[in-house]
């Protein structure tokens, strides 16, 4: 259990007096990186709390995190509506003109029989961003009502699950690569939707930067959204020796009372660690490693001009960019489409082996490696998005056309499988295997520091 000094400093929430600076409430939390239970002291806006053991970010306090986030999410929804309704890009050659919007790429893949890619591209560029923005706006507006809907906690829990699959910024890079490939082939006109997507990307980044998720959960508590009254002080006095568990969804530390306990704040299932995470991660990783071979050997697209053409692999596309003198862009495509998937497979394999062998060395570095691997995987979709734009725009009959190849399906599967493998693995398991977690170990770390 926590030390008496730590327990004594934990106080119940109180009303802020007039003129007193706003602070976040003091809370007990479990570090999502290493599993260390710690007290997060009250934070002023502009300050943050980091784990004493692994230096992972625990919380970042922000000024008006709900109001600014609502305004930016509503603005992003408007921009996304414009991007969906207006043309993205138009090309013309030999007196023929063809334009594309956000839906043209998935439609082109579907016409070629690659409906799998149609579903993935449509979900990551339209469905996931729309659902994420609508859910976020619904929650923030709901918390402003006199009686917030009870299900806002379920809706907010969905937002974090959608975040990695919303790939507007990756799609824009794919459009940039497609533009460089088309600039010598045809005359290009930029549509309104592309400018809207650029603004949308900046707005979504800003909306994420000004949002404090814990402030949203605390506002739900204050407005009585959870059915049960949460006694944070009692949990702090008993945890972690009493078997306290940090919720994977909302971060609340609570005491389970059965085999099928659910978080009293968000309603999510409580598990000390992600259930069967290691087994799922290994299975997904092995499948990704197998598919990596056909993804790089089979053609991802075929350029046909006057009835003849040759298929092109991912490496072939990099060579074409090098031959055109576009060295920075060639490096970007090579890194995102060739190096990143391979490095993700190797990195995840190292983490899984280190857990199995119980390595104690360089735990901090391996924890950082996990979050780098988890963050960069989505950027490998650049090549898929580039291909959808080319397939949608370059369809001029016997003069010139571009058709997708089966290698694109294998490559897309590699990206998705590695993302799912990274999400399945729990980095706290490495600290468990090294003997750094448990009641005895947790009791020796009672403090918390704040950093500006």
């Amino acid at each position: 259990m926590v030390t008496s000094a730590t327990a004594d400093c934990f106080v119940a929430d109180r009303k802020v007096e007039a003129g007193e600076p706003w602070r976040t409430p003091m809370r007990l939390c479990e570090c999502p990186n290493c599993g260390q239970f710690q007290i997060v002291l009250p934070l002023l806006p502009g300050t943050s709390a980091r784990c004493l053991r692994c230096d992972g970010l625990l919380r970042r306090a922000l000024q008006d995190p709900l109001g600014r986030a609502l305004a930016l999410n509503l603005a992003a929804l408007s921009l996304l509506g414009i991007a969906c309704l207006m043309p993205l890009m138009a090309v013309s050659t030999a007196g023929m003109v063809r334009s594309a919007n956000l839906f043209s790429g998935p439609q082109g893949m579907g016409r070629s029989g690659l409906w799998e890619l149609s579903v993935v591209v449509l979900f990551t560029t339209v469905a996931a961003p729309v659902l994420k923005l609508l859910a976020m706006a619904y929650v923030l507006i709901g918390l402003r009502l006199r009686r917030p809907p009870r299900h806002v906690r379920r809706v907010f829990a969905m937002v974090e699950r959608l975040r990695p699959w919303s790939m507007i910024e990756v799609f824009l890079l794919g459009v940039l690569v497609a533009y460089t490939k088309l600039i010598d082939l045809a005359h290009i006109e930029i549509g309104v939707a592309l400018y809207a997507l650029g603004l949308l990307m900046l707005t979504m980044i800003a909306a994420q930067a000004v949002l404090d998720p814990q402030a949203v959960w605390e506002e739900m508590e204050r407005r009585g959204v959870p059915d049960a009254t949460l006694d944070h002080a009692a949990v702090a006095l008993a945890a972690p020796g009493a078997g306290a568990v940090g919720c994977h969804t909302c971060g609340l530390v609570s005491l389970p009372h059965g085999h099928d306990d659910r978080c009293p704040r968000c309603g999510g299932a409580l598990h000390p660690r992600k259930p069967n995470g290691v087994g799922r991660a290994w299975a997904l990783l092995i499948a990704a490693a197998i598919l990596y071979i056909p993804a790089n050997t089979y053609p991802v697209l075929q350029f046909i001009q006057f009835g003849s053409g040759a298929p092109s692999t991912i490496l072939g596309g990099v060579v074409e960019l090098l031959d055109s003198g576009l060295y920075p862009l060639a490096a970007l495509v090579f890194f995102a489409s060739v190096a990143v998937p391979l490095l993700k497979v190797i990195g995840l394999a190292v983490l899984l082996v280190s857990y199995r062998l119980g390595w104690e060395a360089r735990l901090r570095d391996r924890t950082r490696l996990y979050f780098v691997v988890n963050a960069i995987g989505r950027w490998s979709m650049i090549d898929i998005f580039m291909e959808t734009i080319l397939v949608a725009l370059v369809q001029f009959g016997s003069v010139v056309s571009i058709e997708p190849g089966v290698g694109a399906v294998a490559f897309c599967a590699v990206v998705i499988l590695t993302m799912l493998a990274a999400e399945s693995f729990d980095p706290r398991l490495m600290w468990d295997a090294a003997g750094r977690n448990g009641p005895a170990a947790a009791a020796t770390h009672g403090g918390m520091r704040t950093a500006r």
Side-chain angles (χ1 to χ4, degrees):
M1 58 186 300
V2 294
T3 61
S4 59
T6 303
D8 290 342
C9 75
F10 193 93
V11 296
D13 297 345
R14 60 183 178 81
K15 184 177 180 180
V16 178
E17 300 295 336
E20 182 181 355
W22 175 85
R23 297 173 184 263
T24 62
M26 191 180 296
R27 289 285 185 264
L28 175 71
C29 78
E30 181 187 11
C31 177
N33 303 347
C34 69
Q36 177 66 56
F37 285 92
Q38 296 163 87
I39 294 291
V40 177
L41 299 177
L43 301 172
L44 288 169
T47 62
S48 60
R50 290 190 172 273
C51 177
L52 282 172
R53 187 165 68 177
C54 72
D55 201 41
L57 181 66
L58 298 176
R59 182 167 186 181
R60 184 165 49 94
L62 300 165
Q63 186 70 42
D64 189 21
L66 306 188
R68 292 193 296 172
L70 175 59
L72 288 168
N73 275 277
L74 292 176
L77 271 173
S78 302
L79 290 169
L80 185 54
I82 295 173
C84 289
L85 296 174
M86 302 300 290
L88 184 68
M89 192 183 294
V91 298
S92 58
T93 184
M96 295 178 288
V97 180
R98 188 171 181 86
S99 63
N101 55 32
L102 275 178
F103 303 96
S104 300
Q107 289 171 355
M109 291 295 187
R111 285 193 302 268
S112 301
L114 302 182
W115 60 268
E116 304 91 342
L117 291 182
S118 297
V119 172
V120 172
V121 173
L122 190 62
F123 179 75
T124 54
T125 59
V126 180
V130 167
L131 290 173
K132 178 177 177 290
L133 293 173
L134 282 175
M136 195 70 247
Y138 180 81
V139 169
L140 295 175
I141 292 174
L143 291 176
R144 290 173 172 264
L145 300 177
R146 183 175 181 181
R147 292 185 178 180
R150 293 289 179 181
H151 57 268
V152 292
R153 59 178 186 165
R154 303 284 189 183
V155 177
F156 188 57
M158 182 183 68
V159 171
E160 187 62 19
R161 297 188 184 98
L162 287 171
R163 183 187 59 79
W165 304 101
S166 175
M167 302 185 185
I168 293 296
E169 65 278 25
V170 186
F171 178 74
L172 280 173
L173 274 180
V175 173
L176 173 62
V177 177
Y179 179 87
T180 59
K181 285 180 172 288
L182 290 172
I183 196 168
D184 294 328
L185 180 66
H187 175 70
I188 305 174
E189 292 184 5
I190 303 300
V192 175
L194 191 56
Y195 295 107
L197 284 176
L199 292 174
L200 172 63
M201 178 189 69
L202 297 176
T203 306
M204 292 181 72
I205 292 173
Q208 186 67 30
V210 302
L211 178 69
D212 178 5
Q214 284 301 314
V216 178
W217 292 114
E218 288 163 3
E219 180 66 11
M220 290 184 194
E221 284 185 52
R222 192 181 71 81
R223 301 295 303 278
V225 171
D227 296 329
T229 302
L230 306 180
D231 192 344
H232 295 279
V235 174
L237 289 170
V245 176
C247 178
H248 296 301
T249 302
C250 70
L252 176 72
V253 177
S254 55
L255 300 173
H257 299 286
H259 296 291
D260 190 29
D261 278 299
R262 307 194 75 82
C263 175
R265 183 162 69 178
C266 71
L270 289 176
H271 301 285
R273 299 294 181 261
K274 294 178 182 178
N276 198 28
V278 173
R280 287 205 311 271
W282 268 122
L284 293 165
L285 188 62
I286 292 171
I290 293 172
L291 287 171
Y292 183 78
I293 299 173
N296 285 276
T297 54
Y298 283 90
V300 294
L301 58 84
Q302 186 173 13
F303 180 81
I304 304 172
Q305 190 168 18
F306 297 111
S308 63
S312 175
T313 62
I314 294 175
L315 284 174
V318 174
V319 172
E320 289 177 9
L321 291 173
L322 289 173
D323 292 339
S324 302
L326 302 172
Y327 302 112
L329 204 57
L332 171 65
V333 174
F334 177 82
F335 179 75
S337 301
V338 180
V340 166
L342 182 60
L343 292 175
K344 279 198 73 172
V345 170
I346 296 174
L348 283 171
V350 169
L351 296 178
L352 288 164
V353 170
S354 71
Y355 158 73
R356 180 67 180 85
L357 299 179
W359 291 351
E360 297 185 15
R362 309 188 72 88
L363 278 169
R364 271 195 179 193
D365 292 336
R366 280 185 279 133
T367 304
R368 294 190 186 102
L369 172 63
Y370 166 76
F371 283 97
V372 170
V373 166
N374 196 27
I376 65 174
R378 59 206 300 269
W379 292 94
S380 297
M381 288 292 291
I382 289 176
D383 213 70
I384 299 297
F385 293 143
M386 175 270 295
E387 184 176 339
T388 62
I389 296 297
L390 294 178
V391 170
L393 287 173
V394 186
Q395 296 294 331
F396 296 110
S398 60
V399 177
V400 61
S401 63
I402 292 179
E403 297 295 334
V406 294
V409 178
F411 180 77
C412 186
V414 170
V415 177
I416 294 174
L417 289 172
T418 53
M419 288 180 65
L420 293 174
E423 289 289 338
S424 298
F425 183 69
D426 194 329
R428 295 173 294 181
L429 291 171
M430 296 186 295
W431 295 81
D432 295 344
R436 301 294 180 87
N437 286 328
T444 62
H445 296 79
M448 170 54 54
R449 63 186 173 92
T450 60
R452 290 189 180 275

